[in-house]
Amino acid sequence: MAKEIKKVVLAYSGGLDTSIIIPWLKENYNNCEVIAVSGDVGQGTELDGLEEKAIKTGASKLYIEDLTDEFIDDYVFPTMKAGAVYEGKYLLGTSFARPIIAKRIVEIAKAEGADAICHGCTGKGNDQVRFELTIKAFAPDMEIIAPWRTWDIKSRDEEIDYAEAHNIPLKINRETNYSKDKNLWHISHEGLDLESPANEPQYNKEGFLELGVSPEQAPDVPTYVTISFEKGIPVAIDGVKMKGSDVVRKLNELGGANGIGIADIVENRLVGMKSRGVYETPGGTILYYAHDALETLCLDKATMRVKQQLAPIYADMVYNGQWFTPVREALDAFVDKTQETVTGEVKLKLYKGNIITASLTSPYTLYDEEVATFDEDEVYDQNDSAGFINLFGLPIKVKAKLDEKRNNG
């Protein structure tokens, strides 16, 4: 098989895994050409110097694809509108970044006439599934190379040994070697002391948190922010209209400064094991909260209940890499219908890691003060409730009477 592979497109981040994969591919696949592809989904300075590094380590070229706006508009916001949260805590920051990157890698691999696509995902993680399901959706016959499943390297320490032996520069060392994933939506931290749930994360340690501060270090005065939504999509902050990616950037800034969106999670990976990580999602946490609050005004009870039942199904699909599937598209169609009236403004108070609702307004509100009031009104006859309770409670009453009859018989 190695002799047939002459050109490989590599999903390249410039991190430890993919940095050593370039020379490894050339060593194990007859000095094949390696084309590196980095998807820019808002990871910022992590892309600095990437081209020079990729070429120096053996790649023939590097594509850096700007996917940030598409990532937010077409992947993040649909998931947020669905209210999809994995296992009640994880806002899916890594999960929905993989399909968009993998899709672009397939497009480049086809354009380049590549024989294979390579990724640096481990055999224990979820990302291998997310990448490969997307590749199967757009290039079902493409050869996939996953070094972690075949090479002799068994640990991150051994990866560092390999990098040092091949003179590959690294931005990490063995003592601070957290496994991290960063994009505009979030950053994750895994490994080292976090591998034991018995260890408290060192939130106040300099350099640990990257998108903000811990709640203890946040200001002693609250920050107010108003978010405007149109059909479930955030379109303005404090009255200033902006595109989706800028909404997230602004809320990351405000949320990070106030210690918002830090989650310490033990999650169930798709491959069957539990893993522990710390996630920073300041802007995303604010958006999920605000969107959910606005829906309490704008959705009727039956629609809200069905949507709440489907949300964990949507979250599981995103987490499991099933983005490019008919059922996800069908769920989006349902969600989009529910969002037709989710328009309005949400004012929030951010304070030391907490989000507090200050005001909700919507032209499509279903909240009627005249109906809800405890004062006298003209639209609700309280005597009607007696008949309603009799009918609603009829099964309970019938069972109780029959039980009594049986017990006394």
Side-chain angles (χ1 to χ4, degrees):
M1 180 61 68
K3 293 180 181 179
E4 299 174 12
I5 294 176
K6 298 179 180 178
K7 185 183 290 190
V8 179
V9 170
L10 168 66
Y12 183 72
S13 68
L16 177 59
D17 295 332
T18 56
S19 293
I20 68 171
I21 282 175
I22 294 176
W24 183 88
L25 284 171
K26 298 181 79 68
E27 288 175 0
N28 289 271
Y29 289 87
N30 297 321
N31 200 33
C32 62
E33 180 183 358
V34 179
I35 297 170
V37 179
S38 294
D40 181 0
V41 284
Q43 56 267 55
T45 57
E46 289 188 3
L47 297 170
D48 293 350
L50 217 55
E51 182 172 12
E52 180 184 3
K53 183 176 182 180
I55 301 300
K56 275 187 175 181
T57 50
S60 62
K61 66 174 89 169
L62 170 69
Y63 288 86
I64 297 180
E65 301 295 291
D66 185 0
L67 306 173
T68 306
D69 288 337
E70 182 185 354
F71 170 54
I72 296 297
D73 293 340
D74 297 345
Y75 294 77
V76 174
F77 284 172
T79 305
M80 181 205 68
K81 288 192 300 182
V85 182
Y86 185 69
E87 297 189 333
K89 287 187 176 181
Y90 176 38
L91 299 185
L92 298 163
T94 299
S95 307
F96 44 35
R98 297 315 184 216
I100 184 174
I101 294 171
K103 179 173 180 285
R104 185 63 186 130
I105 288 170
V106 170
E107 292 167 353
I108 290 173
K110 287 182 175 180
E112 288 281 356
D115 304 304
I117 291 174
C118 179
H119 64 74
C121 308
T122 73
K124 288 185 174 181
N126 305 302
D127 281 343
Q128 59 182 334
V129 182
R130 297 163 185 158
F131 269 107
E132 294 187 29
L133 292 191
T134 300
I135 294 168
K136 291 179 188 299
F138 293 101
D141 296 323
M142 180 68 71
E143 182 79 17
I144 298 172
I145 300 172
W148 267 105
R149 300 204 288 257
T150 60
W151 64 14
D152 296 328
I153 297 172
K154 301 301 181 186
S155 69
R156 290 178 70 81
D157 266 347
E158 290 184 13
E159 284 187 286
I160 294 174
D161 291 339
Y162 185 97
E164 290 174 348
H166 289 74
N167 297 315
I168 298 171
L170 299 174
K171 294 181 179 179
I172 60 172
N173 59 52
R174 297 176 197 270
E175 289 72 37
T176 61
N177 183 23
Y178 287 106
S179 176
K180 298 189 179 188
D181 177 74
K182 183 180 181 182
N183 57 47
L184 184 58
W185 187 249
H186 92 152
I187 184 168
S188 63
H189 311 260
E190 294 179 321
L192 297 181
D193 56 305
L194 296 178
E195 289 192 344
S196 171
N199 294 329
E200 179 181 1
Q202 302 302 302
Y203 295 135
N204 293 323
K205 184 178 180 180
E206 185 176 354
F208 181 76
L209 296 177
E210 295 190 24
L211 298 183
V213 300
S214 69
E216 298 97 319
Q217 295 174 322
D220 293 330
V221 292
T223 298
Y224 285 87
V225 61
T226 299
I227 305 169
S228 303
F229 288 85
E230 291 181 7
K231 294 186 176 181
I233 298 294
V235 296
I237 303 293
D238 292 330
V240 179
K241 289 233 172 192
M242 56 186 75
K243 64 181 181 179
S245 58
D246 286 339
V247 167
V248 176
R249 287 186 185 95
K250 182 63 178 176
L251 292 178
N252 275 342
E253 175 189 328
L254 296 176
N258 285 280
I260 304 294
I262 303 168
D264 180 1
I265 302 172
V266 175
E267 70 196 60
N268 290 294
R269 285 184 179 173
L270 173 59
V271 295
M273 70 187 70
K274 290 184 183 291
S275 65
R276 193 270 189 103
V278 170
Y279 297 90
E280 298 178 65
T281 321
T285 301
I286 295 170
L287 281 175
Y288 263 80
Y289 183 100
H291 179 263
D292 182 67
L294 187 59
E295 283 191 329
T296 65
L297 277 191
C298 301
L299 296 188
D300 64 275
K301 180 179 178 179
T303 300
M304 181 177 286
R305 289 293 183 269
V306 173
K307 188 169 180 289
Q308 288 170 338
Q309 290 169 15
L310 293 176
I313 297 174
Y314 196 111
D316 280 351
M317 295 190 66
V318 177
Y319 189 86
N320 294 343
Q322 297 169 302
W323 186 269
F324 296 108
T325 57
V327 65
R328 198 273 307 167
E329 294 175 1
L331 287 174
D332 271 352
F334 166 77
V335 171
D336 285 345
K337 182 65 179 177
T338 70
Q339 299 300 290
E340 289 180 354
T341 59
V342 184
T343 295
E345 292 193 343
V346 181
K347 185 177 182 181
L348 302 173
K349 180 163 66 172
L350 312 178
Y351 182 67
K352 289 190 174 295
N354 297 290
I355 307 173
I356 303 161
T357 305
S359 173
L360 298 174
T361 58
S362 171
Y364 300 103
T365 182
L366 298 177
Y367 185 91
D368 189 327
E369 292 183 32
E370 190 175 2
V371 173
T373 182
F374 284 99
D375 295 329
E376 186 177 355
D377 64 84
E378 302 294 330
V379 297
Y380 187 95
D381 186 344
Q382 298 197 28
N383 290 322
D384 290 343
S385 63
F388 164 75
I389 294 170
N390 284 335
L391 292 177
F392 189 64
L394 184 60
I396 297 173
K397 181 177 180 180
V398 169
K399 180 180 183 302
K401 290 176 71 69
L402 290 175
D403 284 348
E404 187 178 63
K405 185 177 181 181
R406 279 186 288 267
N407 292 334
N408 293 335

